[in-house]
């Protein structure tokens, strides 16, 4: 009887399950880190809270009313007449969607005045920005 003392070489096996786990982890990591890199083209302020607030992924034009009553188009401070001209020109180029961002301590009348001006231009897609309660 002959005894074989040579070691048998097994073919290396490719373990795909750990690789899938690592790729999934990297995918989730990069998706979560991209959420913090979203650029807001507007003035920082404290938004009022609402339980039905949602995040929209459609590009919108931010119009901001600060606590002291200043009106901003993106980050540019302007008067209501200048804002009306800017939005009219924007509407002539195509469909316009506005996010009206009013500080929680802003004068309610000023926010309504801006909203009324936007509606008078015939812009129907006007959203009011809020924070979620939590």
């Amino acid at each position: 009887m002959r005894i074989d003392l040579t070691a048998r070489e097994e073919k290396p096996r490719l373990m795909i399950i750990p690789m899938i786990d690592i790729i999934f982890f990297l995918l989730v990591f990069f998706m979560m880190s991209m959420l913090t890199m979203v650029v807001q083209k507007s003035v920082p302020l404290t938004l009022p809270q609402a339980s039905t607030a949602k995040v929209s992924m459609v590009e919108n034009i931010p119009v901001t009313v600060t606590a002291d009553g200043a009106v901003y188009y993106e980050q540019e401070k302007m008067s209501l007449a200048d804002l009306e001209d800017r939005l009219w020109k924007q509407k002539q180029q195509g469909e316009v969607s506005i996010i009206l961002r009013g500080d929680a301590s802003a004068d309610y009348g000023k926010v309504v005045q801006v909203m009324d001006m936007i509606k008078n231009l015939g812009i129907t897609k006007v959203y009011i920005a809020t924070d979620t309660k939590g």
Side-chain angles (χ1 to χ4, degrees):
M1 180 147 101
R2 187 165 176 219
I3 298 176
D4 187 14
L5 296 176
T6 59
R8 290 188 183 184
E9 290 187 29
E10 291 185 25
K11 288 184 180 180
R13 295 175 55 189
L14 184 61
M15 301 299 286
I16 193 131
I17 302 295
M19 286 181 18
I20 291 173
D21 290 342
I22 291 170
I23 291 171
F24 180 71
F25 174 75
L26 289 173
L27 176 69
V28 170
F29 173 77
F30 285 116
M31 286 175 54
M32 296 302 288
S33 64
M34 288 302 294
L35 291 176
T36 62
M37 295 181 193
V38 174
V39 177
Q40 289 270 341
K41 296 184 208 171
S42 60
V43 178
L45 48 85
T46 305
L47 293 173
Q49 295 184 346
S51 59
T52 58
K54 291 192 273 183
V55 176
S56 174
M57 299 310 266
V58 178
E59 185 175 352
N60 300 298
I61 299 170
V63 174
T64 306
V65 179
T66 60
D68 61 355
V71 178
Y72 289 84
Y73 176 91
E74 291 184 350
Q75 292 182 339
E76 183 181 348
K77 185 176 180 179
M78 57 180 52
S79 68
L80 280 178
D82 293 338
L83 177 64
E84 187 173 10
D85 291 340
R86 175 76 63 91
L87 291 177
W88 178 254
K89 289 176 185 174
Q90 193 80 25
K91 185 175 184 267
Q92 297 302 327
Q93 295 176 0
E95 190 174 353
V96 178
S97 178
I98 304 288
I99 293 185
L100 183 57
R101 303 176 75 236
D103 194 287
S105 59
D107 181 33
Y108 182 69
K110 186 73 168 187
V111 175
V112 170
Q113 187 179 10
V114 172
M115 187 184 307
D116 189 46
M117 182 267 303
I118 292 170
K119 289 289 188 175
N120 284 336
L121 289 173
I123 300 171
T124 57
K125 292 186 178 182
V126 180
Y127 306 100
I128 297 176
T130 59
D131 275 337
T132 57
K133 286 184 179 181

